[in-house]
Amino acid sequence: DDFTKRRDDFLKTIVDSNVSTQGSVKSAALDSISGTKAEVLVATTSNVTNADGATQDPRSWRLELRVEKAGAAYKVSKVEFVT
């Protein structure tokens, strides 16, 4: 697809711009659980800066995560943005 063709250029642009993102979880809630799988709702905020000190206004995100048991631990197996 188109992204795959431009992947190397995209990666170089990101690395060269020296972008840093800091995120924080504002709240989280267990939506459902069944056996070894759970759906978790998460509200987050991200702050982006680059090497020149330019910053963007904080952005808020709502995510739905699927968490599944993997061996002795639980890991995120799917992330979706919620609108």
Side-chain angles (χ1 to χ4, degrees):
D1 77 333
D2 194 42
F3 179 77
T4 302
K5 292 176 188 174
R6 297 181 187 175
R7 187 183 98 175
D8 292 337
D9 291 337
F10 180 74
L11 182 59
K12 183 178 181 336
T13 300
I14 296 298
V15 170
D16 290 349
S17 65
N18 199 18
V19 172
S20 173
T21 302
Q22 181 177 8
S24 60
V25 173
K26 298 300 182 187
S27 61
L30 181 62
D31 185 42
S32 65
I33 189 165
S34 177
T36 59
K37 297 180 183 179
E39 300 290 330
V40 180
L41 303 173
V42 182
T44 67
T45 301
S46 65
N47 296 298
V48 179
T49 59
N50 67 20
D52 296 330
T55 61
Q56 294 181 354
D57 289 336
R59 289 188 166 183
S60 296
W61 307 95
R62 293 184 295 166
L63 308 168
E64 183 175 12
L65 309 178
R66 177 178 296 146
V67 179
E68 297 185 49
K69 189 168 186 176
Y74 283 85
K75 298 186 178 188
V76 174
S77 62
K78 184 177 181 181
V79 177
E80 290 185 1
F81 289 93
V82 178
T83 57

